[in-house]
Amino acid sequence: MKGPRGRYAPSPTGDLHLGNARTALLAWLQIRLCGGIFVMRMEDLDCPRVVPGCAKQILDDLEWLGLDWDEGGGSGGTFSPYEQSKRTDLYAAALELLKKQGQVFPCSCSRRDIAMAASAPHGRTAVYPGTCRSRSSSAGENDARSWRYRVPARELVFNDKLVGVYSQNLARDVGDFVVRRADGLYAYQLAVVVDDLLMGITQVVRGIDLLDSTPRQILLFEALGAESPDYWHVPLMSDQGRRMSKRSGSQTITAYRARGGSSSQLVGLLAASVGLVQTGTQISPSELLDEYDVEGFRRRLVDVMKCKSNQNSVSTLKNSISER
Ligand code: GLU
């Protein structure tokens, strides 16, 4: 498998909002600027949260924006299927491998047990206190709720193409993490690594909210004997200081389209919000390709991310949109 391969991996749990659309646009630009293949993968693993019809709407919105893809999203491809819900046998095989290596263990702790045992809750989720970590991977699964990966006590350092050097001590900051959930579903961390690995992804452009998941993913790549891709974590769009959510109803691409908005205006607004074009520009994604080479694109994003006064706020976009 030769050449760069990138992907966009939406979860069909709600309509595409402005922030998602910008991330998709940036992922597309990055891979097209380096002449690579763009893969569309549907991350519909968390079945209870999947909204019927949503995947189709996301693809339709992305196409309307002027993005295209070479594999997945209805285009098929060598690494089919491109929907996570149809790939569980691959996740199961990866888990088996990790079991054989003795790197995972069955865990019977509930969330409550963990919260109570964790000495210092760290961020939003408590660091796993290691209650079951001495269990062997061949131990009886009878009372196992989930499977966890046993993290090493070392600093994991990687060089993000936009953020720069990022380091995390997995044992201290995260703890042994879940690879198969108590409800039997494979965890995002395992599924995303298996997919990126098997789909030959070399470039991952995604929201910066996933930056702190990346060391866990690099660790899984290592465990599965593969090289990890390059990571480009792009800024998230905020709405009055708050992160945009899937419930950002009026800021969805679907709603924008319903109001008669044009895609060149929206692409211009999204590109301007990360300094790629002047405010007020109307442009298509393919026209944007003429403006940059991949290094110029990278440097532009790095500059914008460094600059505190960047227009990452959706309110500027919202105003322009509501003026229509
Ligand atoms: N499915 C994730 C999302 O929609 C993205 C995962 C990834 O890019 O690694 O936020």
Side-chain angles (χ1 to χ4, degrees):
M1 200 167 358
K2 291 198 184 77
R5 292 172 58 86
R7 45 70 155 187
Y8 183 58
S11 305
T13 52
D15 284 343
L16 212 61
H17 60 56
L18 295 170
N20 302 136
R22 188 173 73 182
T23 301
L25 173 67
L26 296 176
W28 182 90
L29 285 170
Q30 190 275 341
I31 205 67
R32 291 302 187 220
L33 285 171
C34 51
I37 295 289
F38 196 47
V39 174
M40 186 61 61
R41 182 170 75 227
M42 229 12 104
E43 301 212 324
D44 57 353
L45 200 56
D46 198 348
C47 302
R49 293 179 55 227
V50 167
V51 176
C54 186
K56 192 170 169 293
Q57 186 64 50
I58 289 175
L59 297 176
D60 196 63
D61 286 343
L62 293 172
E63 225 169 83
W64 174 83
L65 273 174
L67 305 184
D68 63 352
W69 46 92
D70 310 292
E71 296 175 22
S75 308
T78 326
F79 304 102
S80 292
Y82 291 86
E83 295 81 29
Q84 288 193 327
S85 56
K86 298 183 184 148
R87 299 176 61 81
T88 46
D89 50 337
L90 299 168
Y91 311 140
L95 182 63
E96 277 316 303
L97 199 72
L98 298 176
K99 282 185 191 172
K100 281 206 186 91
Q101 295 170 353
Q103 278 163 322
V104 290
F105 61 88
C107 174
S108 50
C109 300
S110 67
R111 232 176 252 165
R112 195 159 170 271
D113 295 337
I114 295 167
M116 281 173 40
S119 48
H122 195 89
R124 278 168 302 155
T125 36
V127 173
Y128 180 68
T131 320
C132 301
R133 89 182 311 242
S134 59
R135 288 195 187 179
S136 99
S137 54
S138 53
E141 272 188 59
N142 298 345
D143 67 337
R145 302 173 64 97
S146 58
W147 280 83
R148 290 180 181 270
Y149 188 91
R150 199 179 282 114
V151 299
R154 71 168 156 110
E155 202 74 26
L156 210 141
V157 185
F158 79 100
N159 198 353
D160 187 274
K161 291 281 181 190
L162 299 176
V163 177
V165 174
Y166 183 79
S167 119
Q168 190 179 59
N169 184 315
L170 283 161
R172 187 193 60 211
D173 301 337
V174 180
D176 302 327
F177 60 90
V178 174
V179 286
R180 206 183 83 178
R181 303 178 356 182
D183 59 8
L185 291 178
Y186 290 92
Y188 158 72
Q189 307 293 357
L190 180 69
V192 81
V193 168
V194 170
D195 289 345
D196 284 341
L197 191 164
L198 294 178
M199 293 178 184
I201 300 300
T202 64
Q203 308 295 315
V204 171
V205 180
R206 62 184 179 191
I208 202 162
D209 54 328
L210 291 167
L211 182 66
D212 84 333
S213 285
T214 309
R216 270 169 276 179
Q217 295 175 16
I218 292 176
L219 193 67
L220 288 176
F221 270 103
E222 275 178 21
L224 297 171
E227 229 176 88
S228 47
D230 285 345
Y231 290 97
W232 302 55
H233 285 95
V234 301
L236 294 187
M237 213 177 252
S238 64
D239 188 3
Q240 288 160 0
R242 271 171 304 152
R243 186 175 153 176
M244 291 184 76
S245 80
K246 292 262 158 117
R247 288 173 290 283
S248 311
S250 64
Q251 297 145 38
T252 64
I253 307 306
T254 315
Y256 176 83
R257 290 174 68 179
R259 288 195 295 268
S262 82
S263 61
S264 57
Q265 189 200 26
L266 184 56
V267 169
L269 288 165
L270 296 174
S273 73
V274 279
L276 293 175
V277 294
Q278 298 280 319
T279 308
T281 306
Q282 302 209 10
I283 197 162
S284 70
S286 48
E287 285 164 342
L288 267 170
L289 295 178
D290 299 331
E291 306 286 318
Y292 289 93
D293 60 19
V294 71
E295 183 51 21
F297 167 78
R298 191 189 71 80
R299 265 192 265 120
R300 195 78 206 94
L301 291 178
V302 169
D303 288 347
V304 165
M305 286 167 78
K306 274 190 193 140
C307 170
K308 294 259 184 298
S309 63
N310 76 58
Q311 298 188 346
N312 250 335
S313 161
V314 76
S315 50
T316 336
L317 303 196
K318 247 194 335 199
N319 293 341
S320 330
I321 289 168
S322 55
E323 276 159 19
R324 294 191 55 85

PDB file of all heavy atoms in Angstrom, residues 29-55:
ATOM      1  N   LEU A  29      -8.693  18.586   2.821  1.00  0.00           N
ATOM      2  CA  LEU A  29      -7.652  19.446   2.235  1.00  0.00           C
ATOM      3  C   LEU A  29      -6.267  18.844   2.460  1.00  0.00           C
ATOM      4  O   LEU A  29      -5.445  18.781   1.549  1.00  0.00           O
ATOM      5  CB  LEU A  29      -7.693  20.848   2.875  1.00  0.00           C
ATOM      6  CG  LEU A  29      -8.830  21.771   2.425  1.00  0.00           C
ATOM      7  CD1 LEU A  29      -8.879  23.014   3.312  1.00  0.00           C
ATOM      8  CD2 LEU A  29      -8.657  22.170   0.952  1.00  0.00           C
ATOM      9  N   GLN A  30      -6.043  18.390   3.704  1.00  0.00           N
ATOM     10  CA  GLN A  30      -4.715  17.866   4.028  1.00  0.00           C
ATOM     11  C   GLN A  30      -4.356  16.698   3.105  1.00  0.00           C
ATOM     12  O   GLN A  30      -3.272  16.667   2.541  1.00  0.00           O
ATOM     13  CB  GLN A  30      -4.679  17.430   5.503  1.00  0.00           C
ATOM     14  CG  GLN A  30      -3.300  17.091   6.033  1.00  0.00           C
ATOM     15  CD  GLN A  30      -2.888  15.651   5.743  1.00  0.00           C
ATOM     16  OE1 GLN A  30      -3.726  14.794   5.463  1.00  0.00           O
ATOM     17  NE2 GLN A  30      -1.593  15.402   5.807  1.00  0.00           N
ATOM     18  N   ILE A  31      -5.288  15.763   2.932  1.00  0.00           N
ATOM     19  CA  ILE A  31      -4.936  14.567   2.159  1.00  0.00           C
ATOM     20  C   ILE A  31      -4.895  14.864   0.664  1.00  0.00           C
ATOM     21  O   ILE A  31      -4.056  14.339  -0.064  1.00  0.00           O
ATOM     22  CB  ILE A  31      -5.863  13.357   2.501  1.00  0.00           C
ATOM     23  CG1 ILE A  31      -5.151  12.050   2.201  1.00  0.00           C
ATOM     24  CG2 ILE A  31      -7.205  13.409   1.807  1.00  0.00           C
ATOM     25  CD1 ILE A  31      -3.969  11.756   3.072  1.00  0.00           C
ATOM     26  N   ARG A  32      -5.772  15.751   0.211  1.00  0.00           N
ATOM     27  CA  ARG A  32      -5.736  16.109  -1.219  1.00  0.00           C
ATOM     28  C   ARG A  32      -4.468  16.903  -1.545  1.00  0.00           C
ATOM     29  O   ARG A  32      -3.905  16.746  -2.632  1.00  0.00           O
ATOM     30  CB  ARG A  32      -6.976  16.912  -1.610  1.00  0.00           C
ATOM     31  CG  ARG A  32      -8.284  16.115  -1.585  1.00  0.00           C
ATOM     32  CD  ARG A  32      -8.235  14.904  -2.493  1.00  0.00           C
ATOM     33  NE  ARG A  32      -9.519  14.227  -2.621  1.00  0.00           N
ATOM     34  CZ  ARG A  32      -9.673  12.916  -2.653  1.00  0.00           C
ATOM     35  NH1 ARG A  32      -8.626  12.108  -2.524  1.00  0.00           N
ATOM     36  NH2 ARG A  32     -10.860  12.379  -2.809  1.00  0.00           N
ATOM     37  N   LEU A  33      -4.024  17.739  -0.593  1.00  0.00           N
ATOM     38  CA  LEU A  33      -2.807  18.528  -0.839  1.00  0.00           C
ATOM     39  C   LEU A  33      -1.576  17.624  -0.932  1.00  0.00           C
ATOM     40  O   LEU A  33      -0.576  18.009  -1.526  1.00  0.00           O
ATOM     41  CB  LEU A  33      -2.605  19.591   0.251  1.00  0.00           C
ATOM     42  CG  LEU A  33      -3.530  20.806   0.154  1.00  0.00           C
ATOM     43  CD1 LEU A  33      -3.400  21.679   1.391  1.00  0.00           C
ATOM     44  CD2 LEU A  33      -3.251  21.619  -1.109  1.00  0.00           C
ATOM     45  N   CYS A  34      -1.647  16.455  -0.301  1.00  0.00           N
ATOM     46  CA  CYS A  34      -0.490  15.562  -0.477  1.00  0.00           C
ATOM     47  C   CYS A  34      -0.806  14.439  -1.457  1.00  0.00           C
ATOM     48  O   CYS A  34      -0.104  13.430  -1.498  1.00  0.00           O
ATOM     49  CB  CYS A  34       0.125  15.112   0.852  1.00  0.00           C
ATOM     50  SG  CYS A  34      -0.960  14.434   2.056  1.00  0.00           S
ATOM     51  N   GLY A  35      -1.842  14.626  -2.244  1.00  0.00           N
ATOM     52  CA  GLY A  35      -2.134  13.685  -3.323  1.00  0.00           C
ATOM     53  C   GLY A  35      -2.557  12.307  -2.844  1.00  0.00           C
ATOM     54  O   GLY A  35      -2.324  11.313  -3.537  1.00  0.00           O
ATOM     55  N   GLY A  36      -3.158  12.252  -1.669  1.00  0.00           N
ATOM     56  CA  GLY A  36      -3.483  10.950  -1.082  1.00  0.00           C
ATOM     57  C   GLY A  36      -4.919  10.514  -1.306  1.00  0.00           C
ATOM     58  O   GLY A  36      -5.714  11.180  -1.963  1.00  0.00           O
ATOM     59  N   ILE A  37      -5.207   9.364  -0.739  1.00  0.00           N
ATOM     60  CA  ILE A  37      -6.533   8.729  -0.812  1.00  0.00           C
ATOM     61  C   ILE A  37      -7.338   9.155   0.415  1.00  0.00           C
ATOM     62  O   ILE A  37      -6.813   9.162   1.533  1.00  0.00           O
ATOM     63  CB  ILE A  37      -6.353   7.183  -0.794  1.00  0.00           C
ATOM     64  CG1 ILE A  37      -5.619   6.715  -2.060  1.00  0.00           C
ATOM     65  CG2 ILE A  37      -7.649   6.443  -0.574  1.00  0.00           C
ATOM     66  CD1 ILE A  37      -6.435   6.807  -3.319  1.00  0.00           C
ATOM     67  N   PHE A  38      -8.599   9.491   0.210  1.00  0.00           N
ATOM     68  CA  PHE A  38      -9.453   9.908   1.322  1.00  0.00           C
ATOM     69  C   PHE A  38     -10.505   8.825   1.580  1.00  0.00           C
ATOM     70  O   PHE A  38     -11.242   8.432   0.687  1.00  0.00           O
ATOM     71  CB  PHE A  38     -10.127  11.234   0.981  1.00  0.00           C
ATOM     72  CG  PHE A  38     -10.722  11.948   2.174  1.00  0.00           C
ATOM     73  CD1 PHE A  38     -10.003  12.111   3.351  1.00  0.00           C
ATOM     74  CD2 PHE A  38     -12.007  12.490   2.110  1.00  0.00           C
ATOM     75  CE1 PHE A  38     -10.558  12.791   4.450  1.00  0.00           C
ATOM     76  CE2 PHE A  38     -12.560  13.173   3.195  1.00  0.00           C
ATOM     77  CZ  PHE A  38     -11.830  13.325   4.362  1.00  0.00           C
ATOM     78  N   VAL A  39     -10.507   8.340   2.806  1.00  0.00           N
ATOM     79  CA  VAL A  39     -11.411   7.254   3.211  1.00  0.00           C
ATOM     80  C   VAL A  39     -12.535   7.828   4.072  1.00  0.00           C
ATOM     81  O   VAL A  39     -12.288   8.652   4.950  1.00  0.00           O
ATOM     82  CB  VAL A  39     -10.615   6.193   4.026  1.00  0.00           C
ATOM     83  CG1 VAL A  39     -11.536   5.128   4.602  1.00  0.00           C
ATOM     84  CG2 VAL A  39      -9.522   5.555   3.168  1.00  0.00           C
ATOM     85  N   MET A  40     -13.742   7.370   3.828  1.00  0.00           N
ATOM     86  CA  MET A  40     -14.882   7.786   4.655  1.00  0.00           C
ATOM     87  C   MET A  40     -15.320   6.587   5.497  1.00  0.00           C
ATOM     88  O   MET A  40     -15.733   5.563   4.960  1.00  0.00           O
ATOM     89  CB  MET A  40     -16.024   8.221   3.723  1.00  0.00           C
ATOM     90  CG  MET A  40     -17.224   8.800   4.413  1.00  0.00           C
ATOM     91  SD  MET A  40     -16.891  10.299   5.354  1.00  0.00           S
ATOM     92  CE  MET A  40     -16.315  11.405   4.071  1.00  0.00           C
ATOM     93  N   ARG A  41     -15.153   6.715   6.799  1.00  0.00           N
ATOM     94  CA  ARG A  41     -15.497   5.578   7.683  1.00  0.00           C
ATOM     95  C   ARG A  41     -16.624   5.987   8.627  1.00  0.00           C
ATOM     96  O   ARG A  41     -16.538   7.038   9.265  1.00  0.00           O
ATOM     97  CB  ARG A  41     -14.261   5.177   8.475  1.00  0.00           C
ATOM     98  CG  ARG A  41     -14.522   3.988   9.368  1.00  0.00           C
ATOM     99  CD  ARG A  41     -13.238   3.459   9.958  1.00  0.00           C
ATOM    100  NE  ARG A  41     -12.722   4.287  11.020  1.00  0.00           N
ATOM    101  CZ  ARG A  41     -11.448   4.675  11.121  1.00  0.00           C
ATOM    102  NH1 ARG A  41     -10.569   4.324  10.207  1.00  0.00           N
ATOM    103  NH2 ARG A  41     -11.053   5.409  12.135  1.00  0.00           N
ATOM    104  N   MET A  42     -17.640   5.173   8.712  1.00  0.00           N
ATOM    105  CA  MET A  42     -18.756   5.489   9.594  1.00  0.00           C
ATOM    106  C   MET A  42     -18.529   4.842  10.959  1.00  0.00           C
ATOM    107  O   MET A  42     -18.455   3.617  11.057  1.00  0.00           O
ATOM    108  CB  MET A  42     -20.022   4.934   8.954  1.00  0.00           C
ATOM    109  CG  MET A  42     -21.219   5.827   8.842  1.00  0.00           C
ATOM    110  SD  MET A  42     -21.096   7.571   9.148  1.00  0.00           S
ATOM    111  CE  MET A  42     -21.125   8.199   7.475  1.00  0.00           C
ATOM    112  N   GLU A  43     -18.394   5.653  11.980  1.00  0.00           N
ATOM    113  CA  GLU A  43     -18.127   5.119  13.325  1.00  0.00           C
ATOM    114  C   GLU A  43     -19.453   4.914  14.064  1.00  0.00           C
ATOM    115  O   GLU A  43     -19.811   5.658  14.967  1.00  0.00           O
ATOM    116  CB  GLU A  43     -17.131   6.028  14.049  1.00  0.00           C
ATOM    117  CG  GLU A  43     -15.820   6.104  13.254  1.00  0.00           C
ATOM    118  CD  GLU A  43     -14.570   6.277  14.076  1.00  0.00           C
ATOM    119  OE1 GLU A  43     -14.603   6.979  15.100  1.00  0.00           O
ATOM    120  OE2 GLU A  43     -13.531   5.713  13.688  1.00  0.00           O
ATOM    121  N   ASP A  44     -20.149   3.865  13.612  1.00  0.00           N
ATOM    122  CA  ASP A  44     -21.495   3.585  14.120  1.00  0.00           C
ATOM    123  C   ASP A  44     -21.493   2.411  15.095  1.00  0.00           C
ATOM    124  O   ASP A  44     -22.435   1.632  15.159  1.00  0.00           O
ATOM    125  CB  ASP A  44     -22.428   3.291  12.937  1.00  0.00           C
ATOM    126  CG  ASP A  44     -21.914   2.135  12.082  1.00  0.00           C
ATOM    127  OD1 ASP A  44     -20.778   1.655  12.330  1.00  0.00           O
ATOM    128  OD2 ASP A  44     -22.628   1.694  11.177  1.00  0.00           O
ATOM    129  N   LEU A  45     -20.401   2.311  15.841  1.00  0.00           N
ATOM    130  CA  LEU A  45     -20.226   1.178  16.738  1.00  0.00           C
ATOM    131  C   LEU A  45     -21.147   1.260  17.953  1.00  0.00           C
ATOM    132  O   LEU A  45     -21.632   0.256  18.452  1.00  0.00           O
ATOM    133  CB  LEU A  45     -18.761   1.160  17.195  1.00  0.00           C
ATOM    134  CG  LEU A  45     -18.218  -0.133  17.744  1.00  0.00           C
ATOM    135  CD1 LEU A  45     -18.398  -1.248  16.739  1.00  0.00           C
ATOM    136  CD2 LEU A  45     -16.735   0.025  18.068  1.00  0.00           C
ATOM    137  N   ASP A  46     -21.377   2.474  18.402  1.00  0.00           N
ATOM    138  CA  ASP A  46     -22.173   2.675  19.607  1.00  0.00           C
ATOM    139  C   ASP A  46     -23.649   2.672  19.210  1.00  0.00           C
ATOM    140  O   ASP A  46     -24.331   3.698  19.219  1.00  0.00           O
ATOM    141  CB  ASP A  46     -21.772   4.019  20.243  1.00  0.00           C
ATOM    142  CG  ASP A  46     -22.217   4.108  21.690  1.00  0.00           C
ATOM    143  OD1 ASP A  46     -23.011   3.246  22.121  1.00  0.00           O
ATOM    144  OD2 ASP A  46     -21.789   5.058  22.381  1.00  0.00           O
ATOM    145  N   CYS A  47     -24.117   1.458  18.843  1.00  0.00           N
ATOM    146  CA  CYS A  47     -25.465   1.312  18.247  1.00  0.00           C
ATOM    147  C   CYS A  47     -26.576   2.073  18.988  1.00  0.00           C
ATOM    148  O   CYS A  47     -27.386   2.722  18.345  1.00  0.00           O
ATOM    149  CB  CYS A  47     -25.831  -0.156  18.130  1.00  0.00           C
ATOM    150  SG  CYS A  47     -24.640  -1.032  17.134  1.00  0.00           S
ATOM    151  N   PRO A  48     -26.601   2.011  20.330  1.00  0.00           N
ATOM    152  CA  PRO A  48     -27.723   2.687  20.992  1.00  0.00           C
ATOM    153  C   PRO A  48     -27.772   4.193  20.697  1.00  0.00           C
ATOM    154  O   PRO A  48     -28.831   4.803  20.786  1.00  0.00           O
ATOM    155  CB  PRO A  48     -27.449   2.449  22.485  1.00  0.00           C
ATOM    156  CG  PRO A  48     -26.485   1.318  22.535  1.00  0.00           C
ATOM    157  CD  PRO A  48     -25.715   1.331  21.261  1.00  0.00           C
ATOM    158  N   ARG A  49     -26.650   4.782  20.351  1.00  0.00           N
ATOM    159  CA  ARG A  49     -26.643   6.234  20.112  1.00  0.00           C
ATOM    160  C   ARG A  49     -26.798   6.603  18.637  1.00  0.00           C
ATOM    161  O   ARG A  49     -26.922   7.775  18.293  1.00  0.00           O
ATOM    162  CB  ARG A  49     -25.347   6.840  20.680  1.00  0.00           C
ATOM    163  CG  ARG A  49     -25.296   6.762  22.214  1.00  0.00           C
ATOM    164  CD  ARG A  49     -24.000   7.337  22.756  1.00  0.00           C
ATOM    165  NE  ARG A  49     -23.781   8.694  22.307  1.00  0.00           N
ATOM    166  CZ  ARG A  49     -22.624   9.145  21.800  1.00  0.00           C
ATOM    167  NH1 ARG A  49     -21.602   8.342  21.695  1.00  0.00           N
ATOM    168  NH2 ARG A  49     -22.502  10.401  21.427  1.00  0.00           N
ATOM    169  N   VAL A  50     -26.757   5.590  17.776  1.00  0.00           N
ATOM    170  CA  VAL A  50     -26.848   5.876  16.336  1.00  0.00           C
ATOM    171  C   VAL A  50     -28.260   6.330  15.975  1.00  0.00           C
ATOM    172  O   VAL A  50     -29.241   5.751  16.413  1.00  0.00           O
ATOM    173  CB  VAL A  50     -26.442   4.621  15.519  1.00  0.00           C
ATOM    174  CG1 VAL A  50     -26.817   4.758  14.058  1.00  0.00           C
ATOM    175  CG2 VAL A  50     -24.945   4.370  15.669  1.00  0.00           C
ATOM    176  N   VAL A  51     -28.340   7.412  15.202  1.00  0.00           N
ATOM    177  CA  VAL A  51     -29.640   7.945  14.792  1.00  0.00           C
ATOM    178  C   VAL A  51     -29.941   7.444  13.367  1.00  0.00           C
ATOM    179  O   VAL A  51     -29.138   7.684  12.462  1.00  0.00           O
ATOM    180  CB  VAL A  51     -29.615   9.504  14.819  1.00  0.00           C
ATOM    181  CG1 VAL A  51     -30.918  10.083  14.317  1.00  0.00           C
ATOM    182  CG2 VAL A  51     -29.260  10.016  16.211  1.00  0.00           C
ATOM    183  N   PRO A  52     -31.067   6.747  13.192  1.00  0.00           N
ATOM    184  CA  PRO A  52     -31.374   6.225  11.861  1.00  0.00           C
ATOM    185  C   PRO A  52     -31.400   7.347  10.815  1.00  0.00           C
ATOM    186  O   PRO A  52     -31.935   8.426  11.071  1.00  0.00           O
ATOM    187  CB  PRO A  52     -32.777   5.605  12.035  1.00  0.00           C
ATOM    188  CG  PRO A  52     -32.933   5.397  13.504  1.00  0.00           C
ATOM    189  CD  PRO A  52     -32.103   6.438  14.191  1.00  0.00           C
ATOM    190  N   GLY A  53     -30.809   7.098   9.687  1.00  0.00           N
ATOM    191  CA  GLY A  53     -30.817   8.079   8.587  1.00  0.00           C
ATOM    192  C   GLY A  53     -29.695   9.101   8.672  1.00  0.00           C
ATOM    193  O   GLY A  53     -29.453   9.859   7.729  1.00  0.00           O
ATOM    194  N   CYS A  54     -29.024   9.118   9.811  1.00  0.00           N
ATOM    195  CA  CYS A  54     -28.024  10.154  10.047  1.00  0.00           C
ATOM    196  C   CYS A  54     -26.788   9.985   9.150  1.00  0.00           C
ATOM    197  O   CYS A  54     -26.257  10.964   8.610  1.00  0.00           O
ATOM    198  CB  CYS A  54     -27.645  10.106  11.526  1.00  0.00           C
ATOM    199  SG  CYS A  54     -26.566  11.397  11.992  1.00  0.00           S
ATOM    200  N   ALA A  55     -26.335   8.740   8.986  1.00  0.00           N
ATOM    201  CA  ALA A  55     -25.134   8.503   8.178  1.00  0.00           C
ATOM    202  C   ALA A  55     -25.347   9.034   6.759  1.00  0.00           C
ATOM    203  O   ALA A  55     -24.488   9.713   6.188  1.00  0.00           O
ATOM    204  CB  ALA A  55     -24.812   7.014   8.146  1.00  0.00           C
TER     205      ALA A  55
END
